[in-house]
């Protein structure tokens, strides 16, 4: 279970949404192995549950600088993999 330990690094989001999103991410990591499939699963669920348009990046080595809607940003790790999720548009 340590492989799916969630560590939040930066957040602009309500606690309840954070909990829902991190649970969705853990489920995606359990179901899929490729980063693109994990990101796609997380995006689909966030668009469905919270409305469009969510953007998701999953990986071990990337830089970013994004603009997001207020209260709609989270950057966290699931195990050793980073997840950047934000709503824009």
């Amino acid at each position: 279970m340590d492989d799916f330990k969630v560590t939040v690094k930066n957040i602009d989001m309500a606690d309840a949404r954070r909990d829902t999103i991190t649970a969705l991410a853990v489920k995606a990591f359990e179901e899929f192995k490729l980063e693109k499939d994990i990101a796609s699963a997380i995006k689909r669920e966030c668009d469905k549950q919270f409305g469009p348009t969510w953007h998701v990046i999953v990986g071990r080595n990337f830089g970013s600088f994004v603009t997001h809607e207020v209260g709609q940003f989270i950057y966290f790790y699931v195990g050793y993999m980073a997840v950047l999720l934000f709503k824009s548009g």
Side-chain angles (χ1 to χ4, degrees), residues 1 3-6 19-34 37-45 48-49 76 78-79 83:
M1 193 62 178
D3 291 345
F4 301 118
K5 178 180 181 260
V6 174
D19 295 344
T20 301
I21 287 172
T22 55
L24 289 172
V26 168
K27 182 179 176 193
F29 274 88
E30 291 171 342
E31 289 182 23
F32 302 100
K33 299 298 176 219
L34 296 176
D37 296 334
I38 295 165
S40 178
I42 295 168
K43 180 192 173 19
R44 268 194 317 273
E45 281 301 311
K48 187 166 108 179
Q49 290 190 31
F76 62 100
V78 176
V83 178

Side-chain angles (χ1 to χ4, degrees), residues 2-71:
D2 287 338
D3 291 345
F4 301 118
K5 178 180 181 260
V6 174
T7 306
V8 176
K9 294 294 188 175
N10 199 347
I11 188 166
D12 175 18
M13 178 177 290
D15 290 346
R17 183 162 291 183
R18 176 205 61 210
D19 295 344
T20 301
I21 287 172
T22 55
L24 289 172
V26 168
K27 182 179 176 193
F29 274 88
E30 291 171 342
E31 289 182 23
F32 302 100
K33 299 298 176 219
L34 296 176
E35 289 96 338
K36 69 177 187 70
D37 296 334
I38 295 165
S40 178
I42 295 168
K43 180 192 173 19
R44 268 194 317 273
E45 281 301 311
C46 286
D47 282 347
K48 187 166 108 179
Q49 290 190 31
F50 310 120
T53 300
W54 288 88
H55 306 278
V56 184
I57 301 164
V58 175
R60 292 192 329 172
N61 189 16
F62 62 88
S64 67
F65 188 85
V66 301
T67 301
H68 63 88
E69 294 180 16
V70 174

